[in-house]
Amino acid sequence: MGKADDGGFDPKDFLDIDHLLSDEERDIRATVRSFVTDRVVPHVGDWFETATIPRELPRELGKLGVLGMHLDGYGCAGTSATAYGLACMELEAGDSGVRSMVSVQGSLAMYAIWRWGSEEQKQRWLPGMATGETVGCFGLTEPDAGSDPGAMRTRARRDGADWIIDGRKMWITNGSIADVAVVWAGTDEGVRGFLVPSGTPGFTAPEIRRKLSLRASVTSELVLDGVRVPADAVLPEVSSLRGPLSCLNEARYGIVWGAAGAARTCLETAVRYAGERTAFGKPIAGTQIQQQKLAHMALEVNRATLLALHLGRLKDAGRLRPEQISMGKLGNVNAALDVARTARQILGANGISLEYPVIRHMNNLESVVTYEGTADVHALVIGGALTGVQAFR
Ligand code: TGC
Ligand code: FAD
């Protein structure tokens, strides 16, 4: 959101949230916004329609500096969590699929290696992943184990010094374009993470087609059929679900910000459209019912942005808890869906056209509300924290 030059009131930054950001944070946001405006916005409707995403995009995002940007060392930028959140917000203001590419690369695949990998694994993989030369994916979900990853059937067993992995992963972002897959598997020692280069015999990643959401994003199945990897392919520092769940904390945090970005684009589109569209002899912006909708949408966008910023400040202070991330993910994605659906109606028939960004965001948000923990899962995390009673099982 832009700030009025004279320091006066700017309805695009209704609550003057810009004032709460540092110069550096505003600069990073401006850089990412400019990339999205030039490189994503003019093309993303076509990418969505044709269900493609340019193969060179990871390298361009690497050049922009957003891949693993909140991690330290190994070619990563080492920014604050808040700056990373602002980048996610701008990327998802363009399209959830582009933010997903960045989340999966930086918060899931790179973070898994950065947090749980050996020094050799970090040196080998992270610099190329930060530049986008090497694409990663993160395989946790299975056909019969999504919300309950503890029910995974993928297994890894030792064979001499090697490991043999058998199983299937489902709905894996970047799967078919990845050079390395972080695959979580059950072992006799607990859940462990394996770094599987995509050329490994027995590993295939067929793309999932016919999606009507997140079309500007590659989603795949991972098939592991007797995949043999050496001992140094296992992430040495974790052998429990804590490994993958710690990565989810990072990606969910980015979604808290991203959802606010998608909602902002829908609001801005609806405000513009309502001002231009005439019905019954006057702009629909001049009707009470549309103003009420716009006011509600603006409230949700501002509230979501403030919540994201608050969680960002907590994360930078080292105080952000998973339950708080759940509240942010649940609240902001639900708010964004509400804003997108309302915007879609304000645009009338144009609301179903890819000539406008709204239906694309609305459909994408149907994935965002499901992945990284469904709304139900996050409600149960919050409910468990409130009551002290765990209701999953
Ligand atoms: P539970 O028994 O509670 O815990 C098992 C172990 O994990 C630890 N733990 C956590 N650690 C770090 N962060 C968290 N948020 C954690 N939650 C739990 C826990 O301390 C324990 O550790 P240890 O060492 O004692 O073994 O686990 P549970 O089986 O009851 O499950 C809890 C539940 C349901 C909350 C969890 O399974 C869950 O979050 N389910 C949702 C799964 C999910 O979100 N999958 C997402 C897949 S990735 C994806 O969607 C990418 S989308 C692309 C994009 O991001 O753009
Ligand atoms: P299920 O777990 O089968 O849930 C079905 C329904 O039951 C949901 O409404 C759920 O809320 C509800 N439910 C489940 N448990 C309970 C309960 N205890 N109480 C009440 N209700 C409950 N996964 C990855 O590992 N890596 C990726 O990169 C990745 N990318 C994705 C990209 C896209 C586009 C999509 C759509 C998904 C992606 N996922 C990925 C998978 C995603 O994380 C899962 O879809 C999600 O965790 C939900 O699992 P599920 O689809 O199996 O639904």
Side-chain angles (χ1 to χ4, degrees):
M1 296 188 197
K3 181 141 171 47
D5 289 337
D6 62 0
F9 177 67
D10 175 5
K12 283 190 163 181
D13 181 18
F14 212 95
L15 296 180
D16 201 7
I17 297 172
D18 274 13
H19 184 66
L20 303 174
L21 303 177
S22 68
D23 287 345
E24 191 189 355
E25 288 165 348
R26 279 193 288 262
D27 284 350
I28 290 174
R29 182 183 61 175
T31 303
V32 180
R33 185 177 293 183
S34 156
F35 175 86
V36 170
T37 303
D38 296 343
R39 181 62 181 117
V40 176
V41 172
H43 310 292
V44 69
D46 290 339
W47 300 344
F48 189 98
E49 187 166 19
T50 56
T52 52
I53 189 143
R55 191 63 187 86
E56 60 278 14
L57 199 61
R59 281 192 181 85
E60 294 173 30
L61 291 163
K63 209 167 164 198
L64 183 66
V66 295
L67 301 178
M69 66 185 271
H70 63 311
L71 306 179
D72 282 324
Y74 310 98
C76 304
T79 68
S80 68
T82 302
Y84 172 55
L86 286 162
C88 288
M89 186 177 193
E90 294 310 315
L91 292 165
E92 194 148 357
D95 192 82
S96 302
V98 177
R99 196 270 308 138
S100 255
M101 176 177 268
V102 171
S103 289
V104 168
Q105 179 85 349
S107 286
L108 293 180
M110 291 176 74
Y111 183 82
I113 299 169
W114 185 86
R115 177 69 184 83
W116 304 115
S118 66
E119 186 56 33
E120 293 71 32
Q121 289 168 338
K122 293 177 198 180
Q123 301 277 2
R124 175 175 175 195
W125 293 109
L126 293 179
M129 293 174 88
T131 61
E133 297 289 316
T134 304
V135 175
C137 69
F138 182 91
L140 179 64
T141 304
E142 301 189 353
D144 297 315
S147 299
D148 181 12
M152 72 174 69
R153 291 190 194 157
T154 299
R155 293 284 301 170
R157 61 184 166 83
R158 288 184 188 271
D159 184 46
D162 296 343
W163 288 88
I164 312 281
I165 314 171
D166 285 286
R168 272 174 74 198
K169 297 289 173 182
M170 196 68 185
W171 301 111
I172 307 305
T173 302
N174 293 352
S176 319
I177 58 168
D179 303 291
V180 62
V182 177
V183 174
W184 298 95
T187 74
D188 290 343
E189 305 149 22
V191 172
R192 305 211 64 176
F194 295 86
L195 303 178
V196 181
S198 58
T200 310
F203 176 90
T204 48
E207 190 168 348
I208 297 172
R209 301 281 179 187
R210 308 188 79 183
K211 288 179 299 168
L212 294 180
S213 171
L214 227 75
R215 287 174 61 79
S217 174
V218 172
T219 315
S220 315
E221 193 178 338
L222 305 183
V223 181
L224 299 116
D225 191 5
V227 170
R228 179 181 289 274
V229 291
D232 65 6
V234 69
L235 297 174
E237 300 297 334
V238 75
S239 53
S240 112
L241 263 190
R242 195 158 55 92
L245 294 182
S246 67
C247 305
L248 301 189
N249 293 336
E250 299 297 304
R252 290 168 177 171
Y253 165 76
I255 290 173
V256 173
W257 282 94
R264 186 189 79 204
T265 297
C266 293
L267 168 65
E268 289 178 352
T269 306
V271 169
R272 208 163 35 243
Y273 190 86
E276 289 164 1
R277 182 68 181 178
T278 299
F280 299 96
K282 65 174 185 180
I284 60 170
T287 66
Q288 290 185 356
I289 200 163
Q290 303 306 338
Q291 285 199 6
Q292 185 187 35
K293 286 180 198 162
L294 294 171
H296 175 72
M297 292 158 73
L299 172 64
E300 293 297 343
V301 169
N302 280 274
R303 195 151 48 183
T305 308
L306 275 178
L307 177 55
L309 181 58
H310 175 63
L311 297 190
R313 297 295 186 223
L314 285 180
K315 188 163 167 58
D316 280 324
R319 290 175 47 210
L320 184 61
R321 297 184 54 83
E323 299 84 353
Q324 295 166 328
I325 300 174
S326 281
M327 186 171 273
K329 204 259 178 186
L330 174 67
N332 280 12
V333 179
N334 279 346
L337 264 170
D338 184 26
V339 168
R341 288 170 181 156
T342 309
R344 204 222 58 70
Q345 291 180 51
I346 292 174
L347 266 67
N350 282 318
I352 69 152
S353 169
L354 279 175
E355 295 300 317
Y356 294 84
V358 171
I359 188 127
R360 180 168 48 77
H361 280 296
M362 192 184 97
N363 280 10
N364 284 341
L365 287 163
E366 293 292 346
S367 285
V368 180
V369 76
T370 288
Y371 67 33
E372 290 291 352
T374 66
D376 297 330
V377 161
H378 291 296
L380 292 176
V381 170
I382 296 166
L386 287 171
T387 62
V389 184
Q390 222 255 38
F392 285 106
R393 294 181 174 83

